[in-house]
Protein backbone atom coordinates (compact mmCIF):
# COMPACT_ATOMS: atom_id res chain seq x y z
CA UNK A 1 0.00 0.00 0.00
CA UNK A 2 1.33 3.42 -0.99
CA UNK A 3 1.82 5.49 2.10
CA UNK A 4 3.81 7.93 4.18
CA UNK A 5 4.71 6.49 7.57
CA UNK A 6 5.62 8.60 10.55
CA UNK A 7 6.77 7.39 13.93
CA UNK A 8 5.96 7.77 16.70
CA UNK A 9 2.29 8.83 16.63
CA UNK A 10 2.51 10.32 20.10
CA UNK A 11 5.55 11.59 21.97
CA UNK A 12 5.88 13.29 25.33
CA UNK A 13 9.33 14.58 26.24
CA UNK A 14 11.07 17.12 28.41
CA UNK A 15 12.76 20.36 27.47
CA UNK A 16 16.23 19.87 26.04
CA UNK A 17 16.09 16.14 25.36
CA UNK A 18 16.99 15.50 21.73
CA UNK A 19 14.44 13.61 19.69
CA UNK A 20 13.89 12.38 16.15
CA UNK A 21 10.60 11.83 14.35
CA UNK A 22 11.01 9.43 11.48
CA UNK A 23 9.26 9.65 8.12
CA UNK A 24 9.37 7.14 5.32
CA UNK A 25 7.51 6.93 2.00
CA UNK A 26 7.27 3.93 -0.33
CA UNK A 27 6.13 5.78 -3.46
CA UNK A 28 9.56 6.79 -4.79
CA UNK A 29 8.60 10.43 -4.38
CA UNK A 30 11.22 13.10 -5.01
CA UNK A 31 9.69 15.77 -2.82
CA UNK A 32 9.25 15.53 0.94
CA UNK A 33 8.33 18.10 3.53
CA UNK A 34 7.58 18.62 7.20
CA UNK A 35 4.72 20.74 8.51
CA UNK A 36 3.53 21.64 11.95
CA UNK A 37 -0.13 22.26 12.73
CA UNK A 38 -1.24 24.66 15.46
CA UNK A 39 -4.82 25.76 16.24
CA UNK A 40 -5.96 28.67 14.09
CA UNK A 41 -2.72 28.71 12.10
CA UNK A 42 -3.31 25.79 9.77
CA UNK A 43 -0.21 23.93 8.66
CA UNK A 44 3.11 25.72 8.35
CA UNK A 45 6.10 24.33 6.53
CA UNK A 46 9.23 23.61 8.55
CA UNK A 47 11.64 22.14 5.99
CA UNK A 48 11.43 20.55 2.60
CA UNK A 49 13.55 18.44 0.33
CA UNK A 50 13.39 18.29 -3.45
CA UNK A 51 15.65 15.25 -3.70
CA UNK A 52 18.39 13.31 -1.94
CA UNK A 53 20.88 15.62 -0.21
CA UNK A 54 18.80 18.68 -1.17
CA UNK A 55 17.02 20.33 1.74
CA UNK A 56 15.86 23.86 2.43
CA UNK A 57 14.08 25.90 5.06
CA UNK A 58 10.35 26.49 5.05
CA UNK A 59 8.49 29.18 6.95
CA UNK A 60 9.26 28.04 10.52
CA UNK A 61 12.63 26.22 10.56
CA UNK A 62 14.03 27.49 13.87
CA UNK A 63 14.78 24.72 16.32
CA UNK A 64 14.57 21.93 13.74
CA UNK A 65 16.97 19.98 11.54
CA UNK A 66 16.37 17.51 8.74
CA UNK A 67 18.40 15.21 6.55
CA UNK A 68 17.73 13.40 3.28
CA UNK A 69 20.36 10.73 2.84
CA UNK A 70 18.02 8.35 1.04
CA UNK A 71 15.04 9.07 -1.17
CA UNK A 72 12.51 7.33 1.05
CA UNK A 73 13.47 8.78 4.45
CA UNK A 74 13.22 12.32 5.78
CA UNK A 75 13.66 12.47 9.56
CA UNK A 76 12.87 15.56 11.61
CA UNK A 77 15.32 16.28 14.42
CA UNK A 78 14.76 18.49 17.43
CA UNK A 79 18.18 18.96 19.02
CA UNK A 80 16.90 20.76 22.12
CA UNK A 81 13.09 20.74 22.21
CA UNK A 82 11.23 23.54 23.93
CA UNK A 83 7.58 23.82 25.01
CA UNK A 84 6.76 26.09 22.04
CA UNK A 85 7.48 23.11 19.80
CA UNK A 86 4.50 21.27 21.25
CA UNK A 87 2.43 20.67 18.14
CA UNK A 88 1.04 18.18 15.66
CA UNK A 89 3.64 17.35 13.02
CA UNK A 90 3.03 16.04 9.53
CA UNK A 91 5.40 14.59 7.03
CA UNK A 92 4.29 14.75 3.40
CA UNK A 93 5.57 13.71 0.02
CA UNK A 94 4.84 14.28 -3.63
CA UNK A 95 5.95 12.63 -6.85
CA UNK A 96 7.40 15.86 -8.18
CA UNK A 97 7.37 19.54 -7.44
CA UNK A 98 7.06 20.92 -10.95
CA UNK A 99 3.42 20.10 -11.60
CA UNK A 100 0.90 22.40 -9.95
CA UNK A 101 -1.66 19.65 -9.56
CA UNK A 102 0.53 17.16 -7.71
CA UNK A 103 -1.20 16.63 -4.38
CA UNK A 104 0.79 16.17 -1.21
CA UNK A 105 0.41 12.79 0.47
CA UNK A 106 0.47 13.11 4.23
CA UNK A 107 1.50 10.80 7.01
CA UNK A 108 -0.84 10.26 9.94
CA UNK A 109 0.83 12.85 12.11
CA UNK A 110 2.95 12.90 15.26
CA UNK A 111 1.58 14.65 18.30
CA UNK A 112 4.51 16.02 20.26
CA UNK A 113 4.28 17.43 23.78
CA UNK A 114 7.33 19.10 25.33
CA UNK A 115 7.09 19.76 29.07
CA UNK B 1 -0.63 39.38 4.57
CA UNK B 2 -2.37 36.05 4.80
CA UNK B 3 -2.17 34.12 1.56
CA UNK B 4 -5.10 31.86 2.38
CA UNK B 5 -8.02 33.05 4.50
CA UNK B 6 -10.79 30.88 5.84
CA UNK B 7 -13.17 33.16 7.69
CA UNK B 8 -15.41 30.50 9.24
CA UNK B 9 -13.71 28.89 12.23
CA UNK B 10 -16.72 26.61 12.77
CA UNK B 11 -19.95 25.74 11.00
CA UNK B 12 -22.98 23.58 11.58
CA UNK B 13 -25.00 21.93 8.83
CA UNK B 14 -28.00 19.67 8.95
CA UNK B 15 -27.49 16.17 7.60
CA UNK B 16 -28.46 15.87 3.90
CA UNK B 17 -28.19 19.62 3.31
CA UNK B 18 -25.50 21.32 1.24
CA UNK B 19 -22.84 23.51 2.83
CA UNK B 20 -20.30 26.00 1.49
CA UNK B 21 -16.93 26.51 3.14
CA UNK B 22 -15.29 29.80 2.24
CA UNK B 23 -11.73 30.32 1.09
CA UNK B 24 -10.09 33.45 -0.30
CA UNK B 25 -6.53 33.64 -1.46
CA UNK B 26 -3.93 36.21 -2.33
CA UNK B 27 -1.28 35.77 -5.00
CA UNK B 28 0.35 37.71 -7.81
CA UNK B 29 1.49 34.53 -9.51
CA UNK B 30 -0.67 33.88 -12.61
CA UNK B 31 -0.10 30.13 -12.27
CA UNK B 32 -1.34 28.51 -9.11
CA UNK B 33 -3.36 25.60 -7.82
CA UNK B 34 -5.92 25.43 -5.07
CA UNK B 35 -6.51 22.38 -2.92
CA UNK B 36 -8.95 21.33 -0.24
CA UNK B 37 -8.03 18.81 2.43
CA UNK B 38 -10.20 17.14 5.07
CA UNK B 39 -8.90 16.31 8.53
CA UNK B 40 -11.18 14.02 10.56
CA UNK B 41 -10.80 13.70 14.32
CA UNK B 42 -8.36 10.84 13.78
CA UNK B 43 -5.92 13.45 12.47
CA UNK B 44 -4.93 12.36 8.98
CA UNK B 45 -5.02 14.79 6.06
CA UNK B 46 -7.17 13.63 3.16
CA UNK B 47 -6.92 15.30 -0.26
CA UNK B 48 -10.39 16.19 -1.59
CA UNK B 49 -10.24 18.36 -4.69
CA UNK B 50 -7.97 20.48 -6.88
CA UNK B 51 -8.55 23.57 -9.05
CA UNK B 52 -5.94 25.05 -11.35
CA UNK B 53 -5.83 28.76 -12.03
CA UNK B 54 -6.26 28.20 -15.77
CA UNK B 55 -9.03 25.63 -15.48
CA UNK B 56 -12.13 26.84 -17.28
CA UNK B 57 -14.55 24.65 -15.39
CA UNK B 58 -15.13 24.34 -11.68
CA UNK B 59 -13.68 21.13 -10.28
CA UNK B 60 -15.99 18.40 -9.02
CA UNK B 61 -15.27 15.14 -7.19
CA UNK B 62 -18.33 13.22 -6.15
CA UNK B 63 -20.19 15.28 -3.54
CA UNK B 64 -17.44 17.90 -3.50
CA UNK B 65 -17.32 20.82 -5.88
CA UNK B 66 -15.21 23.92 -5.94
CA UNK B 67 -16.84 27.26 -6.65
CA UNK B 68 -13.88 29.06 -8.25
CA UNK B 69 -14.26 32.79 -8.76
CA UNK B 70 -10.90 33.93 -10.07
CA UNK B 71 -11.61 37.66 -10.18
CA UNK B 72 -12.70 37.57 -6.54
CA UNK B 73 -9.82 35.25 -5.62
CA UNK B 74 -12.15 32.83 -3.92
CA UNK B 75 -12.26 29.04 -4.03
CA UNK B 76 -15.17 27.90 -1.91
CA UNK B 77 -15.76 24.22 -1.24
CA UNK B 78 -19.34 23.01 -1.65
CA UNK B 79 -20.35 19.73 -0.04
CA UNK B 80 -23.69 18.44 -1.25
CA UNK B 81 -25.96 16.12 0.76
CA UNK B 82 -23.91 16.32 3.96
CA UNK B 83 -23.28 13.13 5.87
CA UNK B 84 -22.35 12.61 9.51
CA UNK B 85 -18.93 11.43 8.35
CA UNK B 86 -18.29 14.86 6.84
CA UNK B 87 -17.78 16.28 10.33
CA UNK B 88 -14.12 17.30 10.30
CA UNK B 89 -11.68 20.17 9.87
CA UNK B 90 -11.37 21.42 6.30
CA UNK B 91 -8.31 23.23 5.00
CA UNK B 92 -7.94 25.29 1.88
CA UNK B 93 -4.41 25.45 0.47
CA UNK B 94 -2.62 27.06 -2.45
CA UNK B 95 0.40 26.21 -4.51
CA UNK B 96 2.13 28.92 -6.54
CA UNK B 97 4.25 28.20 -9.59
CA UNK B 98 6.95 30.59 -8.48
CA UNK B 99 7.25 29.05 -5.03
CA UNK B 100 8.29 25.51 -5.85
CA UNK B 101 9.79 24.80 -2.46
CA UNK B 102 6.68 25.39 -0.42
CA UNK B 103 4.27 22.99 -2.02
CA UNK B 104 1.27 24.23 -0.11
CA UNK B 105 0.29 27.29 1.90
CA UNK B 106 -2.63 26.52 4.19
CA UNK B 107 -5.49 28.51 5.65
CA UNK B 108 -6.43 28.28 9.30
CA UNK B 109 -9.18 25.76 8.66
CA UNK B 110 -12.94 25.47 9.19
CA UNK B 111 -14.44 22.95 11.58
CA UNK B 112 -17.62 21.51 10.08
CA UNK B 113 -20.13 19.76 12.30
CA UNK B 114 -22.98 17.82 10.70
CA UNK B 115 -26.11 17.54 12.83
CA UNK B 116 -28.31 14.43 12.55
Amino acid sequence: EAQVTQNPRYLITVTGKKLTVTCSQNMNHEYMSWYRQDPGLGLRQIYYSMNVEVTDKGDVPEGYKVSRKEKRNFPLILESPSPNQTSLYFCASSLGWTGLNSPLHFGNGTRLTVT
Amino acid sequence: AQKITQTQPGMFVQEKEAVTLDCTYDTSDPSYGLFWYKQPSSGEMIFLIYQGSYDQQNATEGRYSLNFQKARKSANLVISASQLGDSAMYFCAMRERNNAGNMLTFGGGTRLMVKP
Side-chain angles (χ1 to χ4, degrees), chain A residues 67-84:
Chain A
S67 68
R68 187 94 182 272
K69 295 180 179 149
E70 319 162 89
K71 201 169 187 178
R72 62 184 294 128
N73 295 325
F74 191 45
L76 179 70
I77 303 154
L78 284 73
E79 295 269 2
S80 183
S82 62
N84 65 11

PDB file of all heavy atoms in Angstrom, chain A residues 67-84:
ATOM      1  N   SER A  67      17.388  15.762   7.456  1.00  0.00           N
ATOM      2  CA  SER A  67      18.402  15.210   6.551  1.00  0.00           C
ATOM      3  C   SER A  67      17.685  14.367   5.503  1.00  0.00           C
ATOM      4  O   SER A  67      16.590  13.854   5.742  1.00  0.00           O
ATOM      5  CB  SER A  67      19.421  14.370   7.315  1.00  0.00           C
ATOM      6  OG  SER A  67      18.825  13.188   7.814  1.00  0.00           O
ATOM      7  N   ARG A  68      18.298  14.237   4.344  1.00  0.00           N
ATOM      8  CA  ARG A  68      17.725  13.402   3.278  1.00  0.00           C
ATOM      9  C   ARG A  68      18.871  12.614   2.636  1.00  0.00           C
ATOM     10  O   ARG A  68      19.382  12.955   1.579  1.00  0.00           O
ATOM     11  CB  ARG A  68      17.022  14.290   2.241  1.00  0.00           C
ATOM     12  CG  ARG A  68      16.237  13.484   1.186  1.00  0.00           C
ATOM     13  CD  ARG A  68      14.826  13.307   1.554  1.00  0.00           C
ATOM     14  NE  ARG A  68      14.063  12.521   0.604  1.00  0.00           N
ATOM     15  CZ  ARG A  68      13.438  13.024  -0.462  1.00  0.00           C
ATOM     16  NH1 ARG A  68      13.526  14.316  -0.735  1.00  0.00           N
ATOM     17  NH2 ARG A  68      12.746  12.233  -1.245  1.00  0.00           N
ATOM     18  N   LYS A  69      19.247  11.560   3.319  1.00  0.00           N
ATOM     19  CA  LYS A  69      20.355  10.729   2.839  1.00  0.00           C
ATOM     20  C   LYS A  69      19.875   9.659   1.858  1.00  0.00           C
ATOM     21  O   LYS A  69      20.654   9.147   1.050  1.00  0.00           O
ATOM     22  CB  LYS A  69      21.075  10.086   4.013  1.00  0.00           C
ATOM     23  CG  LYS A  69      21.748  11.108   4.907  1.00  0.00           C
ATOM     24  CD  LYS A  69      22.461  10.485   6.066  1.00  0.00           C
ATOM     25  CE  LYS A  69      23.128  11.582   6.889  1.00  0.00           C
ATOM     26  NZ  LYS A  69      23.215  11.253   8.291  1.00  0.00           N
ATOM     27  N   GLU A  70      18.602   9.305   1.981  1.00  0.00           N
ATOM     28  CA  GLU A  70      18.017   8.351   1.037  1.00  0.00           C
ATOM     29  C   GLU A  70      16.694   8.952   0.566  1.00  0.00           C
ATOM     30  O   GLU A  70      16.078   9.745   1.286  1.00  0.00           O
ATOM     31  CB  GLU A  70      17.720   7.004   1.702  1.00  0.00           C
ATOM     32  CG  GLU A  70      18.758   6.513   2.638  1.00  0.00           C
ATOM     33  CD  GLU A  70      18.180   5.453   3.550  1.00  0.00           C
ATOM     34  OE1 GLU A  70      18.214   4.267   3.170  1.00  0.00           O
ATOM     35  OE2 GLU A  70      17.670   5.821   4.622  1.00  0.00           O
ATOM     36  N   LYS A  71      16.252   8.498  -0.591  1.00  0.00           N
ATOM     37  CA  LYS A  71      15.041   9.070  -1.173  1.00  0.00           C
ATOM     38  C   LYS A  71      13.825   8.826  -0.284  1.00  0.00           C
ATOM     39  O   LYS A  71      12.942   9.669  -0.179  1.00  0.00           O
ATOM     40  CB  LYS A  71      14.802   8.464  -2.555  1.00  0.00           C
ATOM     41  CG  LYS A  71      13.919   9.304  -3.457  1.00  0.00           C
ATOM     42  CD  LYS A  71      13.964   8.751  -4.862  1.00  0.00           C
ATOM     43  CE  LYS A  71      13.233   9.664  -5.811  1.00  0.00           C
ATOM     44  NZ  LYS A  71      13.289   9.172  -7.200  1.00  0.00           N
ATOM     45  N   ARG A  72      13.728   7.680   0.340  1.00  0.00           N
ATOM     46  CA  ARG A  72      12.514   7.326   1.048  1.00  0.00           C
ATOM     47  C   ARG A  72      12.405   7.931   2.444  1.00  0.00           C
ATOM     48  O   ARG A  72      11.312   8.019   2.980  1.00  0.00           O
ATOM     49  CB  ARG A  72      12.378   5.802   1.142  1.00  0.00           C
ATOM     50  CG  ARG A  72      13.480   5.123   1.909  1.00  0.00           C
ATOM     51  CD  ARG A  72      13.314   3.610   1.867  1.00  0.00           C
ATOM     52  NE  ARG A  72      12.107   3.207   2.587  1.00  0.00           N
ATOM     53  CZ  ARG A  72      11.170   2.418   2.058  1.00  0.00           C
ATOM     54  NH1 ARG A  72      11.279   1.969   0.823  1.00  0.00           N
ATOM     55  NH2 ARG A  72      10.114   2.078   2.767  1.00  0.00           N
ATOM     56  N   ASN A  73      13.495   8.358   3.051  1.00  0.00           N
ATOM     57  CA  ASN A  73      13.468   8.782   4.450  1.00  0.00           C
ATOM     58  C   ASN A  73      13.766  10.269   4.616  1.00  0.00           C
ATOM     59  O   ASN A  73      14.660  10.818   3.948  1.00  0.00           O
ATOM     60  CB  ASN A  73      14.484   7.976   5.277  1.00  0.00           C
ATOM     61  CG  ASN A  73      14.121   6.507   5.343  1.00  0.00           C
ATOM     62  OD1 ASN A  73      12.948   6.148   5.380  1.00  0.00           O
ATOM     63  ND2 ASN A  73      15.128   5.656   5.346  1.00  0.00           N
ATOM     64  N   PHE A  74      13.043  10.879   5.541  1.00  0.00           N
ATOM     65  CA  PHE A  74      13.215  12.319   5.782  1.00  0.00           C
ATOM     66  C   PHE A  74      12.936  12.592   7.257  1.00  0.00           C
ATOM     67  O   PHE A  74      11.876  13.091   7.632  1.00  0.00           O
ATOM     68  CB  PHE A  74      12.256  13.099   4.874  1.00  0.00           C
ATOM     69  CG  PHE A  74      12.497  14.577   4.817  1.00  0.00           C
ATOM     70  CD1 PHE A  74      13.771  15.099   4.666  1.00  0.00           C
ATOM     71  CD2 PHE A  74      11.425  15.462   4.890  1.00  0.00           C
ATOM     72  CE1 PHE A  74      13.990  16.464   4.590  1.00  0.00           C
ATOM     73  CE2 PHE A  74      11.625  16.835   4.816  1.00  0.00           C
ATOM     74  CZ  PHE A  74      12.907  17.335   4.667  1.00  0.00           C
ATOM     75  N   PRO A  75      13.890  12.293   8.130  1.00  0.00           N
ATOM     76  CA  PRO A  75      13.661  12.475   9.562  1.00  0.00           C
ATOM     77  C   PRO A  75      13.691  13.938   9.989  1.00  0.00           C
ATOM     78  O   PRO A  75      14.420  14.756   9.413  1.00  0.00           O
ATOM     79  CB  PRO A  75      14.827  11.696  10.201  1.00  0.00           C
ATOM     80  CG  PRO A  75      15.894  11.702   9.153  1.00  0.00           C
ATOM     81  CD  PRO A  75      15.191  11.681   7.827  1.00  0.00           C
ATOM     82  N   LEU A  76      12.910  14.233  10.999  1.00  0.00           N
ATOM     83  CA  LEU A  76      12.874  15.565  11.611  1.00  0.00           C
ATOM     84  C   LEU A  76      13.551  15.477  12.970  1.00  0.00           C
ATOM     85  O   LEU A  76      13.172  14.640  13.793  1.00  0.00           O
ATOM     86  CB  LEU A  76      11.431  16.042  11.772  1.00  0.00           C
ATOM     87  CG  LEU A  76      11.235  17.414  12.411  1.00  0.00           C
ATOM     88  CD1 LEU A  76      11.716  18.512  11.467  1.00  0.00           C
ATOM     89  CD2 LEU A  76       9.764  17.630  12.769  1.00  0.00           C
ATOM     90  N   ILE A  77      14.522  16.336  13.199  1.00  0.00           N
ATOM     91  CA  ILE A  77      15.319  16.279  14.420  1.00  0.00           C
ATOM     92  C   ILE A  77      15.119  17.558  15.227  1.00  0.00           C
ATOM     93  O   ILE A  77      15.230  18.662  14.680  1.00  0.00           O
ATOM     94  CB  ILE A  77      16.812  16.118  14.073  1.00  0.00           C
ATOM     95  CG1 ILE A  77      17.024  14.864  13.225  1.00  0.00           C
ATOM     96  CG2 ILE A  77      17.670  16.059  15.345  1.00  0.00           C
ATOM     97  CD1 ILE A  77      18.238  14.900  12.340  1.00  0.00           C
ATOM     98  N   LEU A  78      14.819  17.367  16.503  1.00  0.00           N
ATOM     99  CA  LEU A  78      14.759  18.491  17.433  1.00  0.00           C
ATOM    100  C   LEU A  78      15.920  18.320  18.401  1.00  0.00           C
ATOM    101  O   LEU A  78      15.895  17.446  19.262  1.00  0.00           O
ATOM    102  CB  LEU A  78      13.420  18.520  18.177  1.00  0.00           C
ATOM    103  CG  LEU A  78      12.204  19.014  17.393  1.00  0.00           C
ATOM    104  CD1 LEU A  78      11.748  17.985  16.357  1.00  0.00           C
ATOM    105  CD2 LEU A  78      11.073  19.374  18.336  1.00  0.00           C
ATOM    106  N   GLU A  79      16.950  19.123  18.232  1.00  0.00           N
ATOM    107  CA  GLU A  79      18.178  18.959  19.024  1.00  0.00           C
ATOM    108  C   GLU A  79      17.938  19.297  20.500  1.00  0.00           C
ATOM    109  O   GLU A  79      18.431  18.632  21.392  1.00  0.00           O
ATOM    110  CB  GLU A  79      19.284  19.868  18.480  1.00  0.00           C
ATOM    111  CG  GLU A  79      19.747  19.517  17.075  1.00  0.00           C
ATOM    112  CD  GLU A  79      20.913  18.531  17.075  1.00  0.00           C
ATOM    113  OE1 GLU A  79      21.330  18.089  18.168  1.00  0.00           O
ATOM    114  OE2 GLU A  79      21.395  18.194  15.986  1.00  0.00           O
ATOM    115  N   SER A  80      17.171  20.334  20.750  1.00  0.00           N
ATOM    116  CA  SER A  80      16.895  20.759  22.122  1.00  0.00           C
ATOM    117  C   SER A  80      15.456  21.267  22.187  1.00  0.00           C
ATOM    118  O   SER A  80      15.209  22.478  22.144  1.00  0.00           O
ATOM    119  CB  SER A  80      17.886  21.852  22.551  1.00  0.00           C
ATOM    120  OG  SER A  80      17.676  22.228  23.896  1.00  0.00           O
ATOM    121  N   PRO A  81      14.513  20.343  22.288  1.00  0.00           N
ATOM    122  CA  PRO A  81      13.094  20.738  22.206  1.00  0.00           C
ATOM    123  C   PRO A  81      12.704  21.720  23.313  1.00  0.00           C
ATOM    124  O   PRO A  81      13.220  21.663  24.434  1.00  0.00           O
ATOM    125  CB  PRO A  81      12.352  19.412  22.378  1.00  0.00           C
ATOM    126  CG  PRO A  81      13.344  18.355  22.063  1.00  0.00           C
ATOM    127  CD  PRO A  81      14.679  18.905  22.446  1.00  0.00           C
ATOM    128  N   SER A  82      11.770  22.591  22.954  1.00  0.00           N
ATOM    129  CA  SER A  82      11.234  23.542  23.927  1.00  0.00           C
ATOM    130  C   SER A  82       9.707  23.463  23.892  1.00  0.00           C
ATOM    131  O   SER A  82       9.128  22.968  22.922  1.00  0.00           O
ATOM    132  CB  SER A  82      11.701  24.962  23.592  1.00  0.00           C
ATOM    133  OG  SER A  82      11.216  25.347  22.327  1.00  0.00           O
ATOM    134  N   PRO A  83       9.042  23.937  24.951  1.00  0.00           N
ATOM    135  CA  PRO A  83       7.581  23.825  25.014  1.00  0.00           C
ATOM    136  C   PRO A  83       6.862  24.448  23.822  1.00  0.00           C
ATOM    137  O   PRO A  83       5.780  23.985  23.449  1.00  0.00           O
ATOM    138  CB  PRO A  83       7.238  24.553  26.319  1.00  0.00           C
ATOM    139  CG  PRO A  83       8.427  24.316  27.189  1.00  0.00           C
ATOM    140  CD  PRO A  83       9.610  24.399  26.257  1.00  0.00           C
ATOM    141  N   ASN A  84       7.442  25.483  23.196  1.00  0.00           N
ATOM    142  CA  ASN A  84       6.756  26.088  22.039  1.00  0.00           C
ATOM    143  C   ASN A  84       6.837  25.211  20.791  1.00  0.00           C
ATOM    144  O   ASN A  84       6.279  25.567  19.736  1.00  0.00           O
ATOM    145  CB  ASN A  84       7.275  27.497  21.749  1.00  0.00           C
ATOM    146  CG  ASN A  84       8.727  27.532  21.324  1.00  0.00           C
ATOM    147  OD1 ASN A  84       9.322  26.489  21.048  1.00  0.00           O
ATOM    148  ND2 ASN A  84       9.299  28.718  21.254  1.00  0.00           N
TER     149      ASN A  84
END
